Amino acid sequence: MSRLPYLVFFLSGFAALTFETLWFRVAGLVFGNSVWGATVVLAAFMAGLAGGTAFLALAGHRLRLGFRFFAAIEIIIGLSGLAIVLLLPDLASALAALFQSLDSSLSLNLVRFVLAFVVLVVPSLAMGMTLPTIVHALHQLDSNYGQILGRLYGWNTAGAVIGALAGEVAFIRWYGVTGTAILAAGLNGLAALLALHLRRRLGGQLAAAAPQVSLRPETREGLFSSAVLRLMIVAGLLGFLMLALEILWFRQLLWFHASTSLTFATMLAVVLAGIALGGLLAGWAYARERSLHRYNRILLILTGLAALAPFLLLIRILWQIADVTSWAWFIGLCLVVMLPSAVLSGVLFTTVGKALSEQLLSDRRVTALLLLSNTLGAALGALAGTLVLIPRFGVQGSIIGIAVAYGLAALLIPGSGAGARSTRSNRSEWFAAGAAALVLALIVGLTATTSMRPFYSNYYRDNGPNLTTSVVGFRETPTETILYHRVSLFGAPKFYRLITNGHSMSGSTTFARRFMKLYVYLPQILHPDMRDVLLISYGVGSTAKALTDTRSIEHIDVVDISRDVLEMSSVVFSPEENPLNDPRVNVHIEDGRFFLGTTPRAYDLITADPPPPKNAGIVNLYTQDYFELLYDRLNEGGMATYWLPVFDLTEEDALAITRAFCNAFDDCSLWSGTALNWILLGVRGDFAPVDPDHFAAQWMDPVVVPELRELGLEFPEQIGSLFLADDAYLDQVTETTKPVTDDFPLRLTNELEPTKAHSQVLYDLLAARRARARFQESDFYQRIWPDEVAGESLFYFETQRMLNDLVVSGRQRIGNRWHDLQLMLTETELRTLPLWAMGSDVRSLEIVHEALESGDEDPRLTIHLAYEAMVERDYPRAIEYFQQYIQTTPFLEDSVPLQLSFAHCLAGDLAEARRFFGSLAPSGRNPQEWAEFEIWFEARCGGGQSG
């Protein structure tokens, strides 16, 4: 037989997966990317597929199925699929009023489902008809049903593999969402043309074969016989278990690689490639041995083994490969974990279909019933895996249950009565199945007794001096696996880290709280009367706490996609301090973009700290279209502050997001939060000059000022030194950059690359001395900034440079650490920044004093007392503590002896400083630190080690 039919179905699969990817992208813009929004869209799509197959199962005998009918289906898919991509985003504003009128999540999700089904019904119904149609067309020419089904299923799924990858790797980046949809429709059109060509080419053979394949219709008893029903149940279980398993695999493998859209596309491609290979292998086997379905029991048990054994191997060696970051390693991991089960699943789809064909002689009904059962099972598996299995049993328990379910499904295979076991071949088959079942039971037992908790406990450990890490919160939810670490100093909580799906998403470290709270502190200075605020993405609650600490704010909406993240914030806050318990706070469990599109409220401030923009689905919160929505939801004079995680972006990425933001906000500016966590600030309207009293008000607030000082913002004048660029300079540096848009979301690269040291534009933006010149020339300085603090703000750019040097490595570091520390202590009144430079912070000092008050005599506490004395400029007392620490600590950090020499110098005891430093021998562990100290020591204290 010609291979052209397989090319036709390959193109059909290619187009189908491309369209499905696009539909889910644009549906996320309209229905939201929350678990419920995504679930109802998936359910609507699967319902459409099932409807198409059900129609052919019930009424297919009344239709003239063949290549012409298939061509018509492909044209319908292409045209309707393209229409969805083009028209669906425009429905968002039209549906906003409808969504606003719904007063419960149940009614909202029901309306979402109905609308999603209506939108997707035409192409999904048509897609459900493609396989039965083309199988029937080819079966008229070849009576080997198993060979035809396996090859068609395999080649169609192989096309889906290319569709899953090509869109993410190339097409969406090159042509945008719209261009890719046109390309997919073109593939459908090409498949239709080739199908019509096949009809003309094979017309004579089809006419001659028609009388020979006039198959008798099933009796009612045959259609509903026990064997048919059992095989349909098995086909449904294959879909259910594979889709549920796919969700579980994805959840677990995300611990080893960032959850970008390319990551998901890669994992999906591996699953589809395995299924395609299984279908092709089954088709090849049926070309040589037509009784492969005799081994369905063994194949089912082996599939359970293939699902569980790699997982057992994974959790046994998990701690050794927890840092799999390269694509090669990650793809290898995906192949080991997912490919064996996927291949067997592809084989089983074909062999169960062949077994069903021996019960029902009408090929169109066989294929339709097989696909209907499998599709319904897959839909239920996707829903159950997300909403039931993971929350109820966790990833590990669910995978064990699925493996057992594969083994139990083997009992449903027809022909297991005494008569069927009477022959030697059947006895051999049952013996092999029994042996496989015993091995499966053994692997189940081993997996059930192997805990993953040690892996979670060791993930993202903070190994600083005197720090210990413990797991204080763990939850497996429909959307993520959430892990809370508490990092303790001398046994007392120092900070918390929120880890979702294997990646640190937020934390309450000092530096993290600094930039998260600046989302509030910065606009509070600039806005004259901030009352209504919207916070999108809660994290660990630092931004929310800054909002509730601000007494002038009257209304706060908090929007987060995860109820569990919000509930688990109780790990960080006591009930009295938890910002979610503030009466001004209203919580909304929803996708941030969907909420913005449906809320009628306008705000004085919208602030957001969403997950990194390269995480799957998050780019929708970084496009120009979304930023324009932010602008529309602001009151006149309202402001938006937005996270720009430069550390996670290439220069092109950062500029593309900035261009998108500044296209939406004519008055936009860029500010430093901490290190490479930057803040985009936009205003609707014009900035008004800031009243000096309002400017300094936060430093007069007894609730806010302690936190400001702990975060290194000790004086209001320091805020000006956070300035990086205004709209004029940002327009200049992004002049040739195309913005991230809904149509071109992959203007953000899929690769995860940290900012490169040779990135000249980002380096120039960060360089504090260049930022000082831009600030002095800007409208902020000349018109908006109060004259009373303008000069001091210019001075603090130098201390901002010191902070950059402290927390940013690479080319950006330009100063001598010891010289900078001397300037901080001798020419400023700052306490927090020099404390950071020496290796401590305000929270560490609190812990130390609490320990001393409780009677703790741990000699390690004295180093922090030395640092405290240094920032109090009490150098003799600091020297005493340094000496006490050195005498009682056997393993010293390299910097401690240098710090003692430094303290002697600042105390004016130059002879003792030279004597002590001359007695030291470099350890060799940090030669740069020693070299910098010797340079400073020579200049400040009059001698190096030789002196």
Side-chain angles (χ1 to χ4, degrees), residues 681-741:
L681 172 66
V683 62
R684 176 168 181 159
D686 296 321
F687 281 108
V690 179
D691 177 77
D693 292 337
H694 178 75
F695 185 91
Q698 291 179 101
W699 281 264
M700 303 298 174
D701 189 322
V703 175
V704 177
V705 72
E707 185 72 0
L708 286 165
R709 290 172 177 167
E710 183 176 348
L711 301 181
L713 303 167
E714 300 180 61
F715 304 104
E717 296 85 354
Q718 286 179 269
I719 293 295
S721 66
L722 306 179
F723 178 89
L724 296 178
D726 60 7
D727 51 3
Y729 188 77
L730 293 176
D731 286 343
Q732 177 185 331
V733 297
T734 62
E735 183 179 8
T736 60
T737 302
K738 294 180 179 179
V740 183
T741 65

Side-chain angles (χ1 to χ4, degrees), residues 900-946:
L900 175 55
S901 299
F902 181 83
H904 277 300
C905 283
L906 294 192
D909 192 356
L910 302 186
E912 179 60 23
R914 287 192 289 269
R915 185 199 66 76
F916 181 75
F917 183 52
S919 69
L920 299 177
S923 68
R925 287 177 293 188
N926 196 339
Q928 181 179 356
E929 183 172 28
W930 280 78
E932 285 190 5
F933 184 83
E934 190 160 20
I935 292 171
W936 174 84
F937 193 83
E938 178 71 29
R940 177 66 173 79
C941 298
Q945 285 188 300
S946 60

Side-chain angles (χ1 to χ4, degrees), residues 56-57 65 131-143 145 148-149 213-216 218 353 356-357 360-370:
L56 287 189
L65 301 185
L131 182 61
T133 299
I134 200 165
V135 166
H136 176 72
L138 292 185
H139 197 217
Q140 296 180 73
L141 302 175
D142 186 346
S143 62
Y145 180 82
I148 293 170
L149 179 63
V213 293
S214 180
L215 304 174
R216 62 178 174 82
E218 306 85 0
L356 190 60
S357 73
L360 300 169
L361 298 180
S362 171
D363 61 74
R364 68 183 80 189
R365 180 160 285 171
V366 170
T367 312
L369 289 175
L370 172 69

